[in-house]
């Protein structure tokens, strides 16, 4: 089944997305997501200028071979741009293979291991009443697990708080990347954060009871000893996980955190290969793998990564913010349904314009996602709608401390 065309479609309905569409000689098409927030055009160029010419004439069925060829023949390995481009090709080829088989992708991955995929949503507030309202609103939408992010007294702008005003004048709602010419500057104070956060979780537990799974994202801002202190302080509130507590390029740092706390740890949304996890998994320093299918080389690489994690009782917690397109999200759901060591799936919901461009068949009912029964991954791209939303430059914000030092955002 020869590939006859591969098109890169960059669109910006609610935000920028990079989509690869591969077409075979029999007219089957497959979609892959290569969106890399704030660096979208680099992936588009990597695909258009360097990968598309290599795809024409290849057999679409040989997915493992395509993956190995793209990874090894570039010579320059790994990195977010390369691995997002490989992911786009990989997911598009799996979409094609599953369409050719007349089956939803999860069937080709071994079939369903569960009936639904537990998802968590993002609640947040500038103060406790606003946070409680946000948690209630998520419960009403069906969510059964909730990530809790909060403003901190003394800090003007904190990642993940929807109602705080963003630098582009909009709500900081679904999308931290802002359509402004320079990255927005936010501020940070780890000691103020560490003082404030445990009280917020105490209040949330008192209001919502012991059962509701609660998560929190530290967004790489702590040192190992600060992260250890936070994990310990949060133990009474029984978190489902503490995410990205340190910038884990240094995997060994997690040893220190692990020795001090029983709060479960999740990490990896900015990682892009299994090598980023080698120490973390072998030494059982984490509990959940946070990689995105879109940023970690697609289904082929994620399946191997999650099988490796399974040997150590480490589960999946696949990254699913709005900057993963519905194509990347659908790919994640097929994997979530098929693997044994599924943990939880992040799900923020896309905006209305995104849903016009990407026709989706996955469902969200009573807190559980399901990829649906359409052959393939179950997402179709409306190219006319996509053309109505051309690329718009947008940057993620960054942090400076009070003395002007750049800090992890
Ligand atoms: O900040 O995807 O857990 N989710 C997150 C995300 C990331 C964005 C960056 O593009 O941390 O919201
Ligand atoms: Co995160």
């Amino acid at each position: 089944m020869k590939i006859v065309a591969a098109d890169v479609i960059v669109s910006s309905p609610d935000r920028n997305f990079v989509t690869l569409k591969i077409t075979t000689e029999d007219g089957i098409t497959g979609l892959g997501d290569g969106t890399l927030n704030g660096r979208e055009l680099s992936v588009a160029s990597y695909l258009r200028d360097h990968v598309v010419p290599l795809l024409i004439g290849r057999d679409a069925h040989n997915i493992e071979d395509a993956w190995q060829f793209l990874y090894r023949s570039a010579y320059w390995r790994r990195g977010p741009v390369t691995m997002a481009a490989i992911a786009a090709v990989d997911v598009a080829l799996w979409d094609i293979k599953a369409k050719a088989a007349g089956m939803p992708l999860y069937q080709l991955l071994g079939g369903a291991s569960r009936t639904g995929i537990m998802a968590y949503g993002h609640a947040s507030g500038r103060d406790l009443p606003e946070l409680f309202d946000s948690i209630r609103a998520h419960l009403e939408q069906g969510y059964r697990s909730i990530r809790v992010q909060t403003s901190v007294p003394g800090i003007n702008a904190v990642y993940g708080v929807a109602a705080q005003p963003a630098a582009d004048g909009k709500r900081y709602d679904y999308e931290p990347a802002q359509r402004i010419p320079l990255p927005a500057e936010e501020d940070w104070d780890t000691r103020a954060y560490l003082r404030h956060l445990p009280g917020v979780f105490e209040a949330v537990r008192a209001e919502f009871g012991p059962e509701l799974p609660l998560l929190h994202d530290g967004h790489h801002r702590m040192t190992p000893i600060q992260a250890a202190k936070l994990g310990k302080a949060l133990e009474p509130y029984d978190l489902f996980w503490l995410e990205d507590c340190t910038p884990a390029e240094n995997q060994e740092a997690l040893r220190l955190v692990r020795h001090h706390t029983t709060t479960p740890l999740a990490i990896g949304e900015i990682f892009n290969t299994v090598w980023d996890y080698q120490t973390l998994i072998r030494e059982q320093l984490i509990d959940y793998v946070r990689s995105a299918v879109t940023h970690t080389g697609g289904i082929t690489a994620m399946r191997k990564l999650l099988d490796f994690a399974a040997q150590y009782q480490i589960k999946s917690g696949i990254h699913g913010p709005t900057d993963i397109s519905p194509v990347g999200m659908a790919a994640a759901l097929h994997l979530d349904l098929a693997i044994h060591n599924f943990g939880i799936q992040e799900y923020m919901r896309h905006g209305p314009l995104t849903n016009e461009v990407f026709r989706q068949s996955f469902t969200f009912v009573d807190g559980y996602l399901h990829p649906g029964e359409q052959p393939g991954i179950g997402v179709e791209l409306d190219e006319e709608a996509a053309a109505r939303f051309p690329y718009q430059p947008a940057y993620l914000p960054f942090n400076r401390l009070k003395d002007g030092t750049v800090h992890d955002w």
Side-chain angles (χ1 to χ4, degrees), residues 160-224:
V161 180
Q164 85 193 355
D168 62 359
K170 298 188 182 132
R171 267 173 66 107
Y172 198 118
D173 243 320
Y174 284 96
E175 183 45 68
Q178 296 163 39
R179 288 164 169 169
I180 45 178
L182 293 171
E185 183 178 317
E186 300 187 344
D187 52 342
W188 183 247
D189 177 344
T190 308
R191 294 188 69 234
Y193 164 75
L194 293 177
R195 281 196 302 277
H196 185 65
L197 196 67
V200 170
F201 272 92
E202 183 183 19
V204 170
R205 272 288 172 233
E207 180 73 14
F208 293 94
E211 267 183 51
L212 182 64
L214 297 175
L215 303 84
H216 179 72
D217 191 345
H219 231 248
H220 321 105
R221 298 202 192 93
M222 285 165 273
T223 63

Side-chain angles (χ1 to χ4, degrees), residues 12-217:
S12 196
D14 299 289
R15 63 164 340 281
N16 293 317
F17 292 114
V18 178
T19 310
L20 177 69
K21 178 183 156 193
I22 296 180
T23 307
T24 68
E25 59 189 343
D26 342 23
I28 300 181
T29 60
L31 296 177
D33 177 27
T35 307
L36 185 63
N37 204 354
R39 297 293 185 271
E40 295 87 357
L41 297 185
S42 299
V43 183
S45 158
Y46 192 108
L47 285 167
R48 271 192 194 121
D49 297 334
H50 305 293
V51 172
V52 165
L54 309 178
L55 296 177
I56 309 302
R58 287 187 66 86
D59 185 348
H61 273 310
N62 296 340
I63 302 177
E64 179 72 27
D65 184 69
W67 196 99
Q68 300 295 342
F69 170 67
L70 292 175
Y71 185 76
R72 292 169 201 281
S73 70
Y75 189 63
W76 311 107
R77 296 181 188 202
R78 308 162 65 179
V81 174
T82 297
M83 299 314 291
I86 293 177
V89 175
D90 185 79
V91 169
L93 294 180
W94 276 109
D95 191 20
I96 287 169
K97 189 184 280 294
K99 282 181 183 170
M103 288 180 184
L105 173 58
Y106 74 82
Q107 294 290 7
L108 273 57
L109 301 174
S113 287
R114 56 196 50 80
T115 54
I117 297 157
M118 186 169 71
Y120 74 91
H122 289 197
S124 65
R126 287 166 296 183
D127 52 27
L128 284 178
E130 193 175 88
L131 174 59
F132 289 0
D133 284 350
S134 174
I135 295 173
R136 279 189 205 103
H138 279 81
L139 293 172
E140 276 161 27
Q141 287 169 18
Y143 284 105
R144 297 284 169 267
S145 305
I146 311 269
R147 191 185 84 161
V148 170
Q149 303 296 125
T150 171
S151 291
V152 175
I155 305 179
N156 293 318
V158 180
Y159 160 79
V161 180
Q164 85 193 355
D168 62 359
K170 298 188 182 132
R171 267 173 66 107
Y172 198 118
D173 243 320
Y174 284 96
E175 183 45 68
Q178 296 163 39
R179 288 164 169 169
I180 45 178
L182 293 171
E185 183 178 317
E186 300 187 344
D187 52 342
W188 183 247
D189 177 344
T190 308
R191 294 188 69 234
Y193 164 75
L194 293 177
R195 281 196 302 277
H196 185 65
L197 196 67
V200 170
F201 272 92
E202 183 183 19
V204 170
R205 272 288 172 233
E207 180 73 14
F208 293 94
E211 267 183 51
L212 182 64
L214 297 175
L215 303 84
H216 179 72
D217 191 345

Side-chain angles (χ1 to χ4, degrees), residues 37 147 159 217 219 243 269 290 319 321 323 346 396 409:
N37 204 354
R147 191 185 84 161
Y159 160 79
D217 191 345
H219 231 248
E243 172 183 347
E269 71 184 36
R290 285 286 288 144
H319 194 209
D323 48 284
E346 183 180 29
L396 287 168
W409 177 78

Side-chain angles (χ1 to χ4, degrees), residues 308-371:
F308 173 40
Q311 310 309 311
Y312 299 87
Q313 291 176 284
I314 296 169
K315 295 186 176 186
S316 70
I318 297 182
H319 194 209
T322 45
D323 48 284
I324 299 299
S325 88
V327 172
M329 191 67 201
L333 298 182
H334 286 277
L335 199 51
D336 286 335
L337 200 67
I339 58 174
H340 177 251
N341 57 330
F342 169 75
I344 199 166
Q345 172 66 51
E346 183 180 29
Y347 178 50
M348 287 177 71
R349 293 162 171 266
H350 286 103
L353 302 179
T354 302
N355 296 337
E356 262 180 53
V357 172
F358 297 93
R359 308 247 172 79
Q360 302 149 44
S361 50
F362 60 79
T363 53
F364 179 59
V365 181
D366 293 333
Y368 287 85
L369 288 154
H370 193 285

